[in-house]
Amino acid sequence: MEQEIALNAHNKQEYPPMYTVRCKIEQDNILDFQKLITKESLRHPKAYMVPIAGLLFCMSVLSNSGLAMWYLYIIPYFIAFPIGVPLIWRKNAKKAFNRIKEMGQLEYEISFYDTYFVTTTAAGWQKTEYEQLNKICVSDNALFLMPSPSSAIIVPKDSLTDEILDFLISIQTASPNKNAAKKK
C-alpha cells in the first residue's frame, strides 16, 4: 500500500510521459543480452581461437608425443569451443531468468520523458536520466538500455513501436560522448 502511495505521489508530480511501454522479459531476451555483452567485450571471439590454437599446437610439439599427435590437442579445441560457449550462455540465461522471476521483476512498465525514463515494477520504481546511459543497443528481439557495460534494462521489440525506437536511438545519437545505437 505504501509503495502504491509513493508511486502515485511520483506520478502526480510529473507531466505525462511521451511514451509508455509495458514489458515482459523472456529467457531469450536475456540470452540475446549475454551474446551482446560477449561480442562487445571480446570484439571478435573467433579471433581468439587462432592464438589459442597456436599455443595448443606448441604444447603438442613440446610434449612427449611430438608433432605426430598434434591433432589430439587442436581438434578437440575447435569442437569444444563452438559447442561449449552457446551452452554456457543458455545456462547463464536460465539462471538470470529464474533470479529475475523470483524477484518478481519479469513484468514492468517504462515511461519515457524528455530527459529521463521511469521503470516501474511490483517492487518499486527507478528514475534514470538518459545522460546516465552508457549506450543503447538493439538486437533482433530486444532493445537494451545500458546504464553500465554489463547491465541493461531489456525492452522486448514486440512492445515497441517504430516511433519509440526512433526516439530512443535519436537520444543516444544526440549525445556526442556515447556510442551510437545500432539498428538491425
Side-chain angles (χ1 to χ4, degrees), residues 19 136 138 143 160-173 181 183:
Y19 307 104
I136 298 173
V138 182
L143 179 125
L160 292 173
T161 63
D162 287 338
E163 185 179 5
I164 298 171
L165 186 60
D166 290 339
F167 168 73
L168 292 171
I169 290 174
S170 71
I171 286 171
Q172 186 68 13
T173 55
K183 199 174 185 181

Side-chain angles (χ1 to χ4, degrees), residues 18-171:
M18 294 169 51
Y19 307 104
T20 300
V21 177
R22 292 194 179 273
C23 303
K24 182 173 181 177
I25 300 298
E26 300 292 333
Q27 190 169 333
D28 288 340
N29 299 132
I30 297 171
L31 183 62
D32 284 349
F33 180 62
Q34 288 181 340
K35 289 177 183 178
L36 177 83
I37 289 176
T38 302
K39 286 179 183 175
E40 287 291 319
S41 62
L42 296 179
R43 297 290 178 208
H44 302 286
K46 292 178 183 173
Y48 290 92
M49 289 179 69
V50 174
I52 292 172
L55 288 172
L56 290 173
F57 181 75
C58 291
M59 286 176 48
S60 71
V61 170
L62 297 174
S63 70
N64 290 339
S65 61
L67 194 55
M69 307 277 273
W70 66 270
Y71 56 87
L72 292 176
Y73 291 90
I74 305 297
I75 293 174
Y77 171 72
F78 279 107
I79 293 171
F81 187 82
I83 293 172
V85 170
L87 291 175
I88 292 169
W89 282 340
R90 287 233 176 257
K91 181 180 176 185
N92 290 342
K94 186 175 182 176
K95 283 182 183 179
F97 180 79
N98 290 334
R99 188 173 51 248
I100 292 169
K101 186 177 179 180
E102 288 174 6
M103 292 189 298
Q105 296 182 352
L106 285 179
E107 295 183 25
Y108 50 90
E109 183 177 279
I110 302 175
S111 299
F112 296 99
Y113 296 88
D114 290 343
T115 59
Y116 63 92
F117 63 93
V118 176
T119 307
T120 308
T121 65
W125 60 274
Q126 177 182 351
K127 178 179 174 181
T128 307
E129 300 282 336
Y130 295 126
E131 293 173 354
Q132 295 173 327
L133 291 176
N134 184 36
K135 69 171 73 174
I136 298 173
C137 293
V138 182
S139 74
D140 292 335
N141 302 321
L143 179 125
F144 306 99
L145 304 170
M146 300 175 65
S148 75
S150 61
S151 67
I153 298 165
I154 301 172
V155 185
K157 271 193 173 175
D158 59 0
S159 61
L160 292 173
T161 63
D162 287 338
E163 185 179 5
I164 298 171
L165 186 60
D166 290 339
F167 168 73
L168 292 171
I169 290 174
S170 71
I171 286 171

